[in-house]
Amino acid sequence: MRAKLEKAPEHARPIRWWLCLFVPLIFSLIPFRAALQNGTVAGAGPDVVTTLWTMAWFRENWMGAAWGGFSDWFNFPFGGHGAILSPMTASLWSILASIMGEAMATTWTGIALLWSMFGALFWMSRQAGWSWLASACAALAVLVPRYPIYTLGETGVVGIAALPMIIGMGIALRLKHVQSWLWIAALGLAMALQGLENPYLTPVLP
């Protein structure tokens, strides 16, 4: 008589499936290898300098002028009015800069943003019903096109400020199976945060 095989519980995942989570994180460090080794800013070009100055402007004026008021840091030395793009990213950069300096803060902010996008894409794919392996491939696909890494190297971290959009799409997929006011409120929050982080991508969620 054959023994009846019981299905493994949902939480008992083989190690190879957990590797699906960590392999994308490891591969994402490759574009930052030189910056991590030398302690320099990841990327080059005038837009990176502009981004760094904007981050410093936000750090110095985040209590008021960074949200649209007049500041000498904006259009220095003449001053002007303006609001920062990607304030959540700038907030993370400001915290890291006080700990490890401006150069490494820029590098690790970019890494943190990529890792966050990996996690968001993995979770969104799981909400769509994909397997763990397929979800990991979806996360790793961020490194395939030139645009995400190019924007990190040329325009700094603001070029791929799309994290709330990805999370919002995952929430929308979950709402197909779980009807809850909590998730509806979370979707509204994601839409608002995307408008704050990168208004160019705001129309995607509605």
Side-chain angles (χ1 to χ4, degrees):
M1 179 182 293
R2 291 183 178 181
K4 184 177 180 181
L5 297 177
E6 295 183 0
K7 186 177 180 181
E10 183 71 18
H11 64 274
R13 297 292 183 182
I15 296 178
R16 64 177 180 269
W17 297 126
W18 289 108
L19 290 177
C20 293
L21 292 174
F22 295 109
V23 168
L25 303 183
I26 296 172
F27 272 93
S28 67
L29 295 177
I30 295 176
F32 302 94
R33 180 176 57 85
L36 291 173
Q37 287 179 343
N38 303 324
T40 56
V41 175
D47 285 337
V48 172
V49 177
T50 302
T51 297
L52 284 172
W53 185 266
T54 305
M55 295 293 185
W57 158 57
F58 178 84
R59 181 179 59 183
E60 295 296 326
N61 296 273
W62 71 276
M63 288 293 290
W67 305 98
F70 180 87
S71 173
D72 293 333
W73 284 72
F74 184 83
N75 192 30
F76 186 85
F78 305 103
H81 294 79
I84 194 170
L85 182 67
S86 189
M88 290 188 295
T89 304
S91 299
L92 176 60
W93 182 91
S94 299
I95 295 172
L96 294 179
S98 63
I99 300 173
M100 59 184 65
E102 287 77 6
M104 291 304 294
T106 303
T107 299
W108 278 106
T109 299
I111 293 173
L113 187 56
L114 273 182
W115 284 357
S116 299
M117 291 183 69
F118 284 150
L121 281 169
F122 185 89
W123 181 73
M124 183 186 72
S125 300
R126 291 291 292 162
Q127 299 308 310
W130 293 13
S131 67
W132 280 50
L133 180 60
S135 300
C137 291
L140 193 58
V142 176
L143 297 177
V144 176
R146 182 172 179 264
Y147 177 74
I149 303 303
Y150 170 80
T151 52
L152 284 174
E154 178 62 21
T155 61
V157 296
V158 299
I160 56 173
L163 183 61
M165 179 187 70
I166 300 173
I167 295 176
M169 294 172 68
I171 294 174
L173 290 171
R174 186 168 183 81
L175 281 172
K176 290 184 177 181
H177 308 287
V178 180
Q179 299 295 326
S180 169
W181 285 106
L182 182 62
W183 286 109
I184 294 175
L187 179 59
L189 178 61
M191 294 171 61
L193 288 176
Q194 185 59 67
L196 182 66
E197 188 74 356
N198 190 342
Y200 302 111
L201 296 176
T202 304
V204 175
L205 285 178

